[in-house]
Amino acid sequence: MSNKILLTGAAGFIGFHLAQRLLQEKDNLILGIDNINDYYDTQLKMDRLENLKTDKRFQFEKINIANKEQLDALVEKFQPSVVIHLAAQAGVRYSIINPAAYVESNLVGFANILELSHNLKVKHLIYASSSSVYGANKKIPFQESDSVDHPVSLYAATKKSNELMAHTYSNLYKIPTTGLRFFTVYGPWGRPDMAYFSFTKAIYENKPINVFNNGDMERDFTYIDDIVDGIIRLIDLPPVENSDWNFENPDPATSFAPYRVLNIGNNQPVRLLDFIHTLENLIGKEAEKKFLPMQPGDVKTTFANIDRLNKLTGFKPQTSIETGLKKFVEWYKQYYKIG
């Protein structure tokens, strides 16, 4: 089934890969928007877009989602049936340095996305939440039914806020909304601020890498192709009202409204030092490691329970960390013309 899709964050890592797959798999029309901010290398974002612009079914406009007037005027002409909202100010540590950027993009911008979804009566709004919402939670693996009331970074708080805001619109206006809690996404064309990318760069440049919490951390690293597969499977499966929802013992992952949140991860955490060792083997060079304490806003472990997504769509990650990192390193060498 073809769709007219508004894709925010189209120049971003996940948005780029998702747009590629949407154009390959279905007769979709995509309006991609992005503000191309300089949080990381803008040339990388522009190069992603150049790859997408070769397909006439992809239209791109540079716009800030916090500018409601411009956003509404643009989207009114396009009339999307589906909104996939991936635009956000990313990064846990940067939210401590520049909190205003998170308020503007992740709160004001998301409110604008909800309003246009309501006004256009879209059939499904899928938006990016984050595993960071689990915050201080020590219960492993993380389940959507767990409490997420104790975030440990402003970034996490904005993502938790997005889930609450989405529920309100699902309740008031019956907009089907799906929030996806992404778990440490990695792969080719990825984000330079992420550990796997910065580690690779440092190793090739013979510079030390910062290993936080002295390496005593685990992450549920999820390869980009698996993430995209999960999103694609959900597009034509909007949530419906849960008639069995228990008001006395509420499940926060679903609702009496057409609303849900879902984990999307690899379901297989990897120790940070094992992750680094895999990178070293692929690059053929040992990293100089600078061991540091835990950073404010970080958590020790992330681990996704993906039973709900699997039951709903059949989603099952296919990519091992060895395979995924191999593909990333191959892309990195080609993109940056190494060796």
Side-chain angles (χ1 to χ4, degrees), residues 152-168:
V152 294
S153 70
L154 180 63
Y155 171 70
T158 63
K159 290 300 185 179
K160 160 72 171 176
S161 299
N162 288 171
E163 294 178 2
L164 295 172
M165 294 161 74
H167 185 270
T168 303

Side-chain angles (χ1 to χ4, degrees), residues 197-250:
F197 203 120
S198 61
F199 287 174
T200 300
K201 183 175 188 292
I203 293 170
Y204 273 117
E205 294 177 358
N206 298 309
K207 294 178 180 177
I209 63 173
N210 292 330
V211 183
F212 294 109
N213 204 40
N214 298 306
D216 186 20
M217 298 174 80
E218 289 184 313
R219 287 290 180 270
D220 201 347
F221 293 101
T222 314
Y223 189 64
I224 183 62
D225 289 359
D226 293 326
I227 289 287
V228 168
D229 178 59
I231 299 172
I232 296 271
R233 288 168 181 260
L234 282 166
I235 290 174
D236 294 326
L237 291 174
V240 295
E241 298 164 353
N242 182 359
S243 58
D244 297 324
W245 199 75
N246 188 334
F247 285 82
E248 295 179 356
N249 185 26

Side-chain angles (χ1 to χ4, degrees), residues 54-65:
T54 58
D55 194 312
K56 290 183 171 59
R57 293 169 298 154
F58 177 82
Q59 172 191 349
F60 177 76
E61 296 289 343
K62 182 179 177 182
I63 192 171
N64 187 338
I65 58 169

Side-chain angles (χ1 to χ4, degrees), residues 255-275:
S255 177
F256 53 88
Y259 163 95
R260 64 178 169 227
V261 293
L262 294 165
N263 289 338
I264 182 164
N266 197 46
N267 187 232
Q268 194 171 344
V270 176
R271 289 180 65 245
L272 182 56
L273 290 177
D274 291 340
F275 177 83

